[in-house]
Amino acid sequence: MDAPENPAAKSPEITPEIVAEHGLSPDEYEKVLEILGRAPNLTELGIFSVMWSEHCSYKSSKKWLKTLPTEGKRVICGPGENAGVIDIDDGQAAVFKMESHNHPSFIEPYQGAATGVGGILRDVFTMGARPVANLNALRFGSPDHPKTRHLVSGVVAGVGGYGNCVGVPTVGGECEFHEGYNGNILVNAMTVGIADQDKIFYSAATGVGNPIVYVGSKTGRDGIHGATMASAEFTDDSEEKRPTVQVGDPFTEKLLIEACMELMATDMIVAIQDMGAAGLTSSSFEMASKGGTGVELDLDHVPQREEGMTAYEMMLSESQERMLMVLKPGREDDARKIFEKWELDFAVVGHLTDTGHMVLRHKGEIVADLPIDPLALASPEYDRPWVPTPKQAEVTSADLKKDIAPLDALKTLMGCPHLASKRWIWEQYDHMVMGDTIGRPGGDAGVVRVHGTKKALAVTSDCTPRYCQADPVEGGRQAVAEAWRNLTAVGARPIAVTDNMNFGNPERPEIMGQFVGCIDGIREACYALDFPVVSGNVSLYNETNGKGIPPTPTIGGVGLLGDADKRVGMGLTDKFDAIVLIGETKGHLGQSIYLREIEGREEGPAPHVNLSAEHKNGDLVRSLIHSGAIKACHDVSDGGLLVALAEMALAGNMGAEITLPEGIDLIPFLFGEDQARYIVTTEHMTSLTTAARDMGVPATMLGICNGGNLDLVKHASLDLGELREIHESWMPAYMAAP
């Protein structure tokens, strides 16, 4: 190779203003000068900017992420690759990850959500896995906010439009409305895929001289500075950032999946990486850094869809449906034929070197020369100041001000935006494509059969932000525990989680304290439940004009059903079956939906999460499901016991006669949000109570399945038809309003 020129020689002067525009602090820029031994040119500055952005470098969070448990008996690959990989028996693996597209979805809801789905799909099939299930966790502002209806419409259409066209079923997720998200909505997308364990592909680039190949769509100017935008809080002019939102094409993504799967069936690939945040920059840097090599790219060969693109634009573009791979030498033409068959771009854009540098050429000149490891490995790591969240006072029934009959309260809760049916959303998603979905949206967990086998994967997404705001440690524990319960409730053995840590500005000690507390809680729960974290994403600076979102550490859980036929649903099924409550009820009202919707108060502590009880109660429920002793199961969460019963009655179109225990405090018992609880139905009451007694688990007979009413004996009765109308009508009416 010719002696490297100084690529900064022809660059315009880099001023402090330009540095600030690229999101680098003065101290960080000093580190850039130290690494290079000179001033960078604009292209090099842009590369440092995106690689050291919060979105790509995790500079505020990695100190704490390192404390999470990431290993387990079934973990094949933990954090650090495109997605996590777990053993699901028979030489097969599940590959999964969750990722955020919050900022883009607020600015341009359709494309922001659509490209979020596209990006997480690529993270999974990059590893060699065929995607089999999508989930999404959506959080919007108050229904009364002027932007909310528009954002809901665009995001749901984007999620459905992309996932449906690609042909991957959307089988689960969650949707919440709260004024805390008025200025920053959250769109977290999760994909699960299946691969053979001996056909997992990784991203470490090796082999000096091996060709670097670009495949997929052409590069345009969309998404430039996307990673930087995702690392900054919003202001009043944030809608002007639309050019930084990528534009997706699901039909191209489908072709890319098939072409990559075909190539992966050969022995041509050395390493592969999708072009996600920071595009060509991050993919090439990460591959080279992991493999300990250098990279030389000739940007003249990058397929471009716009005229006159600069090196800066090509390296920072986040155009979608693109992959970068290293091939074995001499296999380029064989690989090209595959991609040309699928009508996708294929270009050899460079090769690996032994220099440890990234050298970029454009129009015959060296336009960047950067040391890879110092840039990739020396990204800033901050131990930001933090303060713990103050504890809140207990809330008891004596503090309640409104006298309301339980079934009247239930009607209010079942029709409120938080608990009302989200059928309007998931009916826009194709949840049956591929023909293996056996647990549809609306239940505790989505369930997808592993094609051609008896086994199935259960998948869920969970978080209760109001708990995390009141007590981040308990909230972190609860998010993990609820994911564990939702998988257990369908009969699956929980295996591992992915996380999506959505928070405000980490430079504010109270926000950093929320993050630290949630990580502490997640760590404790994952250790206690043997539920390791194998992948994840951090999204910070989710705030507008200094007002942050509620702390939202979304947990995506994956579990395994060895025999899919043993799955149970949540719907009540047969008349006269016993309805049993598993777990202890103390009547915790702090931060409950009852307190918020009936009393108009958001206060009190989060419910305590007894991890030993979670483990013991869940193990009992799972064993009873597998033995055939349980016909239906639903975990008790938002809204408490009576809401869970109502949801089971509606799901099965079967009423219930409930006889409440003597001497209880009615409202806390029916609407308290104590954890580690399930409602189950059985015709084997004796064997159930014996098993519960042997394991030391509380089991309380509540009543029987019967008729068409939800009947609280000695209190009142509610017709299921009336309840269904209340529960199902809010969302369609809201979205149809002008």
Side-chain angles (χ1 to χ4, degrees), residues 83-86 93-97 123-125 127-129 191-195 200:
V85 186
I86 57 173
V95 179
F96 63 100
K97 187 182 180 184
D123 279 336
V124 167
F125 74 76
M127 302 285 293
T191 293
V192 183
I194 294 174
I200 304 295

Side-chain angles (χ1 to χ4, degrees), residues 139 173-178 409-410 413-414 416-420 422 444 461-468 478-479 482 485-486 570 588-597 606-607 634-648 670-677 679 727:
R139 290 181 168 84
E174 50 187 331
C175 175
E176 181 176 354
F177 295 86
H178 190 275
L410 177 67
L413 297 189
M414 293 295 283
C416 77
H418 186 88
L419 291 176
K422 304 305 186 299
D444 285 309
S461 162
D462 295 288
C463 183
T464 310
R466 63 187 187 277
Y467 294 170
C468 297
Q478 193 273 341
E482 187 172 356
R485 284 199 304 272
N486 281 334
M570 61 186 273
H588 182 93
L589 289 173
Q591 298 300 327
S592 65
I593 295 294
Y594 180 93
L595 196 67
R596 186 173 83 190
E597 298 297 328
H634 186 28
D635 86 305
V636 181
S637 56
D638 286 351
L641 173 64
L642 193 54
V643 166
L645 273 168
E647 291 170 340
M648 295 179 79
L670 292 175
F671 299 105
E673 296 184 6
D674 304 271
Q675 301 296 293
R677 296 186 298 163
I679 298 174
H727 186 54

Side-chain angles (χ1 to χ4, degrees), residues 356-383:
H357 277 235
M358 169 179 277
V359 177
L360 304 179
R361 295 181 181 272
H362 188 220
K363 297 182 178 178
E365 296 185 352
I366 294 178
V367 293
D369 185 349
L370 297 168
I372 288 172
D373 273 355
L375 192 157
L377 302 181
S379 62
E381 178 174 338
Y382 296 124
D383 184 3

Side-chain angles (χ1 to χ4, degrees), residues 286-615:
E286 289 170 12
M287 292 174 78
S289 181
K290 289 175 183 175
T293 64
V295 168
E296 184 163 331
L297 300 178
D298 188 337
L299 300 182
D300 293 339
H301 297 306
V302 171
Q304 300 160 55
R305 68 167 182 260
E306 299 184 46
E307 294 291 330
M309 290 192 71
T310 64
Y312 180 99
E313 291 171 329
M314 281 185 273
M315 292 303 294
L316 270 60
S317 167
E318 294 186 9
S319 294
Q320 297 293 284
E321 294 87 40
R322 302 180 302 158
M323 311 283 277
L324 199 67
M325 56 183 71
V326 176
L327 298 181
K328 292 181 178 177
R331 306 304 299 273
E332 298 93 323
D333 288 343
D334 294 333
R336 185 190 307 275
K337 290 174 184 175
I338 293 174
F339 284 88
E340 288 180 347
K341 182 183 82 172
W342 291 100
E343 299 181 347
L344 295 167
D345 278 288
F346 179 101
V348 178
V349 295
H351 61 274
L352 299 181
T353 69
D354 60 1
T355 65
H357 277 235
M358 169 179 277
V359 177
L360 304 179
R361 295 181 181 272
H362 188 220
K363 297 182 178 178
E365 296 185 352
I366 294 178
V367 293
D369 185 349
L370 297 168
I372 288 172
D373 273 355
L375 192 157
L377 302 181
S379 62
E381 178 174 338
Y382 296 124
D383 184 3
R384 297 203 183 274
W386 62 276
V387 295
T389 299
K391 300 292 185 182
Q392 297 200 33
E394 291 286 348
V395 176
T396 69
S397 58
D399 301 316
L400 302 180
K401 297 179 174 60
K402 293 193 177 179
D403 183 15
I404 184 171
L407 292 181
D408 289 337
L410 177 67
K411 289 192 283 187
T412 298
L413 297 189
M414 293 295 283
C416 77
H418 186 88
L419 291 176
S421 169
K422 304 305 186 299
R423 182 184 299 273
W424 182 91
I425 294 177
W426 58 259
E427 282 190 339
Q428 297 185 52
Y429 306 152
D430 189 337
H431 46 271
M432 299 303 293
V433 66
M434 301 180 80
D436 283 315
T437 302
I438 54 178
R440 305 182 185 192
D444 285 309
V447 183
V448 178
R449 188 183 301 275
V450 178
H451 193 73
T453 74
K454 289 185 63 178
K455 63 192 178 191
L457 296 178
V459 293
T460 186
S461 162
D462 295 288
C463 183
T464 310
R466 63 187 187 277
Y467 294 170
C468 297
Q469 187 135 27
D471 186 332
V473 177
E474 290 289 5
R477 288 191 194 111
Q478 193 273 341
V480 174
E482 187 172 356
W484 200 82
R485 284 199 304 272
N486 281 334
L487 298 175
T488 292
V490 299
R493 175 169 296 282
I495 296 179
V497 306
T498 182
D499 60 40
N500 207 143
M501 307 293 291
N502 307 275
F503 290 80
N505 185 342
E507 297 168 46
R508 294 166 52 197
E510 66 275 18
I511 300 297
M512 198 64 213
Q514 292 173 348
F515 184 91
V516 172
C518 285
I519 286 284
D520 281 349
I522 290 169
R523 180 180 62 250
E524 291 174 11
C526 287
Y527 272 121
L529 300 174
D530 192 17
F531 206 23
V533 180
V534 298
S535 59
N537 174 250
V538 176
S539 175
L540 302 178
Y541 296 95
N542 289 289
E543 57 182 73
T544 297
N545 294 330
K547 184 171 177 56
I549 61 163
T552 312
T554 310
I555 299 294
V558 175
L560 178 66
L561 272 157
D563 183 350
D565 292 339
K566 294 196 180 291
R567 177 190 75 92
V568 298
M570 61 186 273
L572 304 182
T573 54
D574 297 318
K575 280 189 175 185
F576 310 121
D577 280 352
I579 301 172
V580 182
L581 173 64
I582 303 293
E584 184 180 14
T585 299
K586 294 182 178 179
H588 182 93
L589 289 173
Q591 298 300 327
S592 65
I593 295 294
Y594 180 93
L595 196 67
R596 186 173 83 190
E597 298 297 328
I598 304 299
E599 295 276 321
R601 298 153 61 191
E602 296 187 46
E603 56 191 72
H608 174 61
V609 180
N610 181 328
L611 293 168
S612 175
E614 290 284 1
H615 208 313

Side-chain angles (χ1 to χ4, degrees), residues 19-33:
V19 172
E21 286 172 6
H22 282 74
L24 293 172
S25 70
D27 287 345
E28 289 169 349
Y29 185 62
E30 284 300 316
K31 185 70 173 177
V32 171
L33 296 178

